[in-house]
Amino acid sequence: MRARKTHRQLEWSLTATLALVAPLGGCYTGVGDGAGASAGDAGEAGEAGEAGDAGDAGDAGEDGGPANELPAPTTRLYRLTHSQWENTIQDLFYLPEPTGLSADFRTDPSIGGFVFDNNAATLEVDQVLWQSYQRAAVQVAEMITADPSLLAAIAPPDAGDANARAQQFVAEMGVRAYRRPLTTPETDELVALFDAAPALYEGVDPFTAGVRLAIETVLQSPHFLYRIETSTETSGDVIPLGDYEVAARLSYFLWNSMPDGELFDAAADASLGDADAIEDQARRMLVDIRSRAVVEHFHDQVFEVERFQNAAPSAAFYPDAPENLGDLATEEHRRFIEDVVFERAGGVSDLLTSNETFVNDEVARIYGLEGTYGAEFEKATLDPAQRSGILTQLGFLVANSTTANPDPIHRGVFVAKRLACMNIAAPPDGVPPLPPSEGRSNRQAVEDHTEQPGTSCVGCHSTIINPFGFPFENYDVVGAWRLDDNGMAVDATSTIALDGNEIAVTNAVDLAQALAASPTVHACYMQHWIEFAFGRPLAEEDEAFTTRVGEESTSGNMPVVDLLIEIVTSNAFRNRATQELP
Amino acid sequence: MKMHRRQVLRGIGGATVALPFLEAFSPRKAKAGSEIVPPYAIFFRQANGVACVQDTELGAEPERFWPSAQGALTAETVAGRALEELGTYLDRLLVVGGVNMEDFNYADGHARGALQLLTARGPTVEGVGGDSEAAGESIDHRIGRELNLDGRESLFLFAGMDGWLGGPCITYRDAGQRRAAIRDPKQGYMGMMGIDATQFEALAARQQSVNDLVRGQMTSLLASPELSAADRQRLDLHFTSIRDLENSLSCNFTVEQQMLIDGMSPGYESDDGDAVLEAVKAHMHVAALAVACGYTRSVTIQVSSGNDGSTRYRNFDSGELMENFHFLSHRRASHDASGSIIENSDLLHHHVDRHFAQTFAYLLDRLAEYDLPDGSNLLDCGVSVWCNDNGNGPGHSSRNCPFVIAGGASGFLRQGQFLHLGDELTHARVLNTIGSAAGLRNAQGGNIDDFGDPSLPRTVVDELLA
């Protein structure tokens, strides 16, 4: 059984190529025994279980991705996130809008080292959350059964046979709530609730009482609260997922909700064992507006959009800075993402190099745009000599600034870690503060402070952090273009180490172009999507896939939508690993 | 021995389900002794250290936190210090100086402080700074796990914005298993509140039907041989979280109290310090009720994120909101040492300390409201601990981290004293002492000495004992 690399060791294998060209000078990359307690850190395999509800058998590689791209061991229990719970309830009961009940759910804890909020192995049901689920189930059941139109949407008509009606309701509701057909015992136990229910709800007619109790029960069932994968039958190097399991993976990845009728029909027809059929469904789903919220949520987390609200330009130095700078940056960012991904069928290169964005009057002023702009956001074209993609937009720049100066250190760390997936360990404790500039430019002050020979700082700062950060010196604290820094000309030149090469850049526009042409950056973007799609840290098994698709994305500027198609048609998405987590 | 509190109350003709809580605890009506309230621990966490005497790169700063002399706490020894805000309770405080956390390699002073604060443990992975997780269970969770009825978990309450270290970060179920917090004070209360007697039977019967079926499903799932250990652990947690509806008696606020809490709660996710601390005070109402009615033996209240980098507290002199607390702690307008100097920021840090002291006093007021039939007071039955991730601001020191302990746990701890026990007092020993005060015992029935990293001294601090 081959040893599994940890997330950190995988990143090391990417950055190790840099050592061939650029002296890392002892930059600590944090290689250790593991990236914390996560489902991604598996040891020896356990025994295979009984055969489950497997789909069409087929070796990995015959249909879908190359044979060397195998699924990584993962959890079998994917608890619904709170937003998934909310969306699922809305779709399950055909509600016109979300119930909002998940606002009372306690927030899931953040897990160190994982970018996204859906690390499946750590989504738990503790006592507090269970109580919230219980209360919500009661409220939803009461709401549905108290409204004739909502009840009619899920209940079969009364044909005079109460038992048959109950059976039909359970069968129809059950497959949608559990996201698979019910077993006979499951059906029987839910139908039995219709016998007990009338005594439990005073003044409610028997069928309605039965529906109400069934809804309360189903919404507290682990088969509703978790997406459970039970397939165990091995086929070659993989365990093919059942059709309903594939349908659920598809819908919760692309829509953050349960499958719709068409997807359920495809599962019932056993047609989701075929990669082409999955692609057809996925393309249909990516046209649906629900996928836009998912793409937005992904990029919000990758680019740390919530940190845009940290923008706090000093009133002394930036008296004209908008008070709602964070909100403006967020609006621009989200509109840009949606436009690139869905309207322009753009890819990673477009995200990094497009000089088209969205502005209102205040944002236009920061960008120095001529013309008249109103309070509403509209599309605009920025000076290509000054702006190139998301890294030269307001959000990244303002979130990584102090109140008075640009912050090349944090800008550089973000680019290196989040866009190139380089592993940079945290600085040591007790770092002395950056002294006042005293006649120096911001760059000079940072260089003097962090690149002194023989210090613990020079290794990381001179080779990775500062080279990635200094090109952004042309953008001040509010993201505006500048050529002057403390009376001196801004120097935004740099030499970065990327893909085993040293690349000289003159400024951030140049840097963005270099990043857009980098297989490492494209692969890194894919890594983030992998982690988001599967709800787990990157695993060794993902390396072949991310490298291949990263290269294809680099050479062909693969649209983001097509990247998502690659994921859902991959061996990893359609199958489980034969090796279970320990 | 775990006390089954409801039996005690019923045995003395105690409250019915619908009785307001205060009635049940009226000294004129309750007849039981103080055994009704076993010892508890409430932890109240502040970040960023305190404004104490230190030399910084900006110059020397005077002492504004610690009492001026060891020994008896008096109005004179706390005059001009943040602890002055606790003047009413000086005779019931134990202020412990010289508590030193271990310099585990968290690669970040906030992670080292916040994640170690209640765990006395290093990181699961060294050197990863803000991505750190603690490598062990926290003391509050252990108290709940060992002492709460029916395996109920301790309460973890949070107010403020998320940020560094992801927000709630000081309570751990086990190594790397960070717990989620309740943020809306009403949620904490909703979990405890009793059910009207006229509805209880019907509601309980319905839930019993649901629980029977769901437990059967969980049992089947847990029997699956394919489950990983981690999956099984998560399912176990879920399974044990399923509760039959309980005829919980005195865990109810009056309508007026409930409205009060509702009014205090809205700012639980604010960056306005006033709003955040109002929500914290609402949490404190819930905390006091929870320990009073035996719902839990342990409550933790965390204020803001790992570095409290968003909350802006109010300047007492000007009435204006100050820079965010993390900026103040750095003495500069930045989340590191690169920003412009904030004038008088050591004094402003002291203002924040006073805010926290006032808020801690609010907790003590809530606890002190409950008088027990034997003349004792709820405040004295347990320990309330105001603690801090760091010893000071700019340095984020691991040394001399403040522990202000109120209550004494019915005579377990000394009171009315400021003790500085030298330079070698480990924080792990203090946590073992607090855990023992809250009722944790070893297999022989003695005080615990096994909590925290095994490499650290962990024996109870005799000098703190009464």
Side-chain angles (χ1 to χ4, degrees):
Chain A
M1 198 73 61
R2 54 184 171 161
R4 300 190 67 253
K5 285 185 185 176
T6 65
H7 183 193
R8 294 196 170 281
Q9 289 169 329
L10 185 61
E11 290 177 335
W12 172 245
S13 70
L14 290 173
T15 58
T17 59
L18 300 179
L20 297 176
V21 179
L24 293 180
C27 178
Y28 177 55
T29 56
V31 175
D33 292 331
S38 78
D41 293 331
E44 294 298 312
E47 293 297 318
E50 297 176 356
D53 179 27
D56 293 341
D59 291 332
E62 289 182 1
D63 180 23
N68 66 329
E69 294 174 6
L70 294 172
T74 60
T75 179
R76 286 186 173 272
L77 306 170
Y78 298 85
R79 199 214 76 196
L80 301 186
T81 65
H82 298 339
S83 59
Q84 288 172 345
W85 184 96
E86 196 69 70
N87 294 339
T88 303
I89 293 290
Q90 182 179 1
D91 291 341
L92 184 61
F93 297 105
Y94 306 106
L95 302 178
E97 58 189 15
T99 64
L101 291 173
S102 66
D104 286 337
F105 295 177
R106 63 108 179 95
T107 308
D108 288 311
S110 300
I111 302 302
F114 194 71
V115 173
F116 305 105
D117 59 1
N118 65 344
N119 189 333
T122 62
L123 293 178
E124 298 175 325
V125 178
D126 57 18
Q127 291 167 15
V128 173
L129 184 56
W130 177 83
Q131 287 177 339
S132 297
Y133 283 150
Q134 188 269 334
R135 279 195 298 270
V138 169
Q139 288 178 267
V140 170
E142 185 175 10
M143 177 185 71
I144 298 299
T145 54
D147 186 322
S149 62
L150 294 179
L151 182 59
I154 60 168
D158 185 358
D161 183 336
N163 186 62
R165 194 183 185 200
Q167 294 267 359
Q168 185 179 351
F169 169 77
V170 166
E172 291 173 353
M173 168 61 64
V175 68
R176 298 178 67 245
Y178 290 4
R179 299 170 286 270
R180 57 164 174 79
L182 271 59
T183 64
T184 300
E186 287 173 337
T187 302
D188 289 345
E189 63 186 5
L190 287 174
V191 171
L193 295 176
F194 280 75
D195 295 328
L200 300 176
Y201 299 96
E202 189 177 328
V204 180
D205 74 86
F207 177 76
T208 303
V211 170
R212 186 167 165 181
L213 187 59
I215 292 175
E216 281 192 38
T217 303
V218 160
L219 297 190
Q220 295 179 65
S221 167
H223 298 291
F224 172 75
L225 295 172
Y226 298 88
R227 194 165 44 84
I228 302 174
E229 295 182 350
T230 59
S231 292
T232 57
E233 189 174 325
T234 301
S235 175
D237 294 333
V238 297
I239 296 174
L241 288 172
D243 290 272
Y244 286 93
E245 292 171 331
V246 172
R249 275 198 180 187
L250 264 176
S251 71
Y252 281 99
F253 173 38
L254 297 180
W255 282 349
N256 216 28
S257 187
M258 59 180 279
D260 66 352
E262 191 167 334
L263 203 50
F264 273 127
D265 288 344
D269 289 342
S271 63
L272 293 177
D274 173 71
D276 289 339
I278 293 173
E279 178 171 347
D280 289 343
Q281 290 290 340
R283 290 200 181 276
R284 173 182 72 85
M285 296 169 75
L286 285 166
V287 174
D288 189 288
I289 195 170
R290 282 172 282 189
S291 64
R292 299 195 176 211
V294 171
V295 170
E296 175 182 291
H297 190 52
F298 168 83
H299 288 95
D300 272 4
Q301 294 178 91
V302 171
F303 289 98
E304 299 181 345
V305 167
E306 65 180 14
R307 290 188 61 242
F308 294 2
Q309 299 301 327
N310 293 347
S314 164
F317 296 111
Y318 300 93
D320 297 327
E323 283 193 12
N324 60 337
L325 182 56
D327 291 339
L328 296 174
T330 301
E331 184 72 19
E332 178 195 13
H333 167 88
R334 288 176 175 166
R335 285 175 180 265
F336 175 77
I337 293 292
E338 184 179 25
D339 187 59
V340 167
V341 175
F342 292 106
E343 304 304 326
R344 293 193 257 162
V348 175
S349 296
D350 300 289
L351 291 174
L352 291 172
T353 62
S354 173
N355 65 329
E356 287 190 327
T357 188
F358 291 81
V359 303
N360 70 353
D361 49 358
E362 292 190 276
V363 176
R365 178 172 55 79
I366 295 174
Y367 282 133
L369 289 174
E370 294 182 2
T372 304
Y373 295 89
E376 297 301 312
F377 276 78
E378 58 184 280
K379 204 165 199 176
T381 302
L382 305 179
D383 183 347
Q386 296 180 5
R387 306 286 173 172
S388 178
I390 205 165
L391 295 178
T392 60
Q393 293 174 4
L394 299 191
F396 163 74
L397 298 169
V398 304
N400 294 288
S401 293
T402 70
T403 57
N405 286 310
D407 185 350
I409 294 173
H410 285 90
R411 290 175 178 181
V413 167
F414 181 91
V415 173
K417 288 186 72 170
R418 195 56 59 86
L419 295 193
C421 288
M422 295 180 185
N423 194 6
I424 305 173
D429 262 342
V431 172
L434 190 68
S437 299
E438 290 179 339
R440 298 173 293 173
S441 67
N442 187 50
R443 173 178 181 144
Q444 287 170 339
V446 170
E447 272 179 337
D448 291 346
H449 190 64
T450 63
E451 297 188 22
Q452 292 300 316
T455 63
S456 60
C457 310
V458 64
C460 293
H461 278 274
S462 65
T463 59
I464 301 178
I465 297 174
N466 295 356
F468 277 114
F470 286 146
F472 297 100
E473 283 300 288
N474 282 123
Y475 309 97
D476 66 16
V477 168
V478 299
W481 177 260
R482 69 173 190 170
L483 293 172
D484 177 87
D485 175 9
N486 200 22
M488 285 153 279
V490 167
D491 177 7
T493 62
S494 178
T495 301
I496 61 171
L498 194 60
D499 301 306
N501 301 312
E502 288 189 339
I503 304 171
V505 298
T506 56
N507 57 21
V509 173
D510 236 10
L511 173 63
Q513 301 288 338
L515 295 173
S518 162
T520 295
V521 170
H522 284 252
C524 180
Y525 183 74
M526 281 309 301
Q527 289 176 26
H528 293 316
W529 270 114
I530 289 288
E531 295 195 340
F532 181 75
F534 292 104
R536 59 163 173 76
L538 199 73
E540 181 191 6
E541 288 84 351
D542 301 316
E543 186 174 353
F545 174 83
T546 54
T547 301
R548 174 179 66 83
V549 179
E551 288 171 352
E552 292 176 11
S553 173
T554 309
S555 60
N557 191 26
M558 186 184 293
V560 173
V561 167
D562 287 350
L563 295 178
L564 303 187
I565 296 298
E566 286 285 344
I567 290 175
V568 301
T569 56
S570 69
N571 293 330
F573 195 86
R574 300 161 51 227
N575 303 281
R576 289 188 58 83
T578 55
Q579 179 183 352
E580 298 289 341
L581 292 172
Chain B
M1 182 184 73
K2 294 184 184 180
M3 182 76 66
H4 201 301
R5 198 168 162 285
R6 289 186 210 90
Q7 290 173 345
V8 171
L9 287 178
R10 275 201 289 272
I12 58 169
T16 63
V17 169
L19 255 189
F21 172 68
L22 285 180
E23 274 194 45
F25 271 85
S26 162
R28 291 174 292 282
K29 291 187 181 177
K31 295 179 176 59
S34 61
E35 293 81 16
I36 279 181
V37 182
Y40 60 83
I42 300 176
F43 298 92
F44 172 53
R45 173 266 188 181
Q46 176 185 347
N48 294 327
V50 294
C52 56
V53 62
Q54 59 186 314
D55 291 319
T56 73
E57 44 112 8
L58 303 180
E61 297 180 1
E63 180 59 60
R64 292 193 171 98
F65 181 83
W66 297 100
S68 58
Q70 290 196 55
L73 286 166
T74 67
E76 290 71 36
T77 63
V78 299
R81 311 296 165 94
L83 290 172
E84 187 175 53
E85 303 289 346
L86 296 163
T88 311
Y89 296 102
L90 292 181
D91 61 339
R92 294 152 99 173
L93 295 184
L94 176 60
V95 179
V96 187
V99 181
N100 304 315
M101 293 201 203
E102 187 70 11
D103 284 323
F104 292 116
N105 182 14
Y106 276 93
D108 174 73
H110 297 291
R112 185 202 65 231
L115 305 190
Q116 187 182 172
L117 181 65
L118 298 183
T119 65
R121 291 277 188 168
T124 52
V125 177
E126 292 190 337
V128 298
D131 292 340
S132 298
E133 300 291 351
E137 182 184 27
S138 56
I139 188 70
D140 59 322
H141 186 266
R142 176 162 171 182
I143 292 170
R145 176 171 59 80
E146 292 193 7
L147 301 179
N148 280 353
L149 293 177
D150 304 324
R152 180 176 292 133
E153 288 200 310
S154 63
L155 267 185
F156 180 27
L157 311 172
F158 178 93
M161 292 181 70
D162 283 356
W164 190 243
L165 300 175
C169 59
I170 66 175
T171 302
Y172 280 78
R173 190 171 289 115
D174 202 339
Q177 291 183 33
R178 188 188 293 198
R179 291 181 61 202
I182 297 172
R183 297 167 186 251
D184 184 344
K186 295 192 298 294
Q187 279 188 13
Y189 172 56
M190 284 163 67
M192 298 189 306
M193 61 189 294
I195 300 168
D196 187 277
T198 62
Q199 300 178 54
F200 178 77
E201 269 191 44
L203 291 173
R206 284 179 215 165
Q207 193 58 37
Q208 191 68 57
S209 288
V210 173
N211 285 353
D212 287 347
L213 192 152
V214 170
R215 284 192 176 112
Q217 292 177 338
M218 297 289 291
T219 302
S220 296
L221 283 172
L222 281 164
S224 303
E226 305 83 39
L227 285 184
S228 67
D231 280 353
R232 195 173 305 282
Q233 195 171 45
R234 284 195 296 140
L235 273 185
D236 269 335
L237 176 64
H238 184 164
F239 187 76
T240 56
S241 297
I242 297 171
R243 289 273 190 274
D244 295 322
L245 286 188
E246 296 159 330
N247 194 353
S248 79
L249 301 175
S250 311
C251 286
N252 287 316
F253 286 122
T254 63
V255 172
E256 292 75 20
Q257 287 174 312
Q258 198 168 329
M259 289 175 63
L260 174 68
I261 292 168
D262 286 353
M264 296 168 76
S265 297
Y268 66 86
E269 288 182 320
S270 175
D271 62 355
D272 181 316
D274 291 347
V276 169
L277 292 179
E278 270 296 279
V280 169
K281 291 172 182 174
H283 279 315
M284 288 173 166
H285 280 271
V286 175
L289 178 65
V291 298
C293 73
Y295 181 81
T296 182
R297 299 279 290 272
S298 173
V299 183
T300 297
I301 303 173
Q302 176 181 339
V303 181
S304 199
S305 69
N307 65 2
D308 202 350
S310 301
T311 319
R312 300 177 63 193
Y313 299 96
R314 197 169 295 279
N315 184 315
F316 283 110
D317 297 329
S318 69
E320 301 290 322
L321 289 179
M322 301 182 285
E323 288 282 11
N324 73 70
F325 185 22
H326 189 226
F327 279 12
L328 298 182
S329 77
H330 276 284
R331 309 297 189 253
R332 289 176 177 271
S334 64
H335 288 295
D336 53 20
S338 63
S340 54
I341 295 169
I342 300 174
E343 292 298 319
N344 300 316
S345 45
D346 57 327
L347 175 61
L348 303 183
H349 193 151
H350 170 64
H351 283 225
V352 177
D353 292 342
R354 281 189 176 268
H355 278 291
F356 274 81
Q358 289 182 359
T359 307
F360 187 57
Y362 191 89
L363 170 63
L364 305 186
D365 290 341
R366 302 288 69 75
L367 295 166
E369 281 179 342
Y370 298 117
D371 288 322
L372 299 173
D374 64 354
S376 65
N377 183 266
L378 182 63
L379 171 57
D380 300 314
C381 294
V383 288
S384 299
V385 184
W386 172 22
C387 47
N388 200 306
D389 303 349
N390 303 120
N392 58 20
H396 295 350
S397 176
S398 61
R399 303 187 66 79
N400 204 25
C401 299
F403 272 78
V404 179
I405 305 171
S410 296
F412 188 92
L413 295 176
R414 295 173 69 174
Q415 293 189 275
Q417 296 283 311
F418 167 46
L419 302 176
H420 192 295
L421 302 175
D423 295 330
E424 303 302 322
L425 176 59
T426 66
H427 145 264
R429 293 186 66 199
V430 175
L431 291 187
N432 277 276
T433 306
I434 292 171
S436 299
L440 291 178
R441 294 293 180 267
N442 60 25
Q444 292 72 42
N447 295 327
I448 62 167
D449 60 0
D450 64 347
F451 179 80
D453 192 288
S455 69
L456 303 173
R458 298 182 290 181
T459 53
V460 161
V461 185
D462 289 335
E463 293 88 335
L464 303 184
L465 305 183

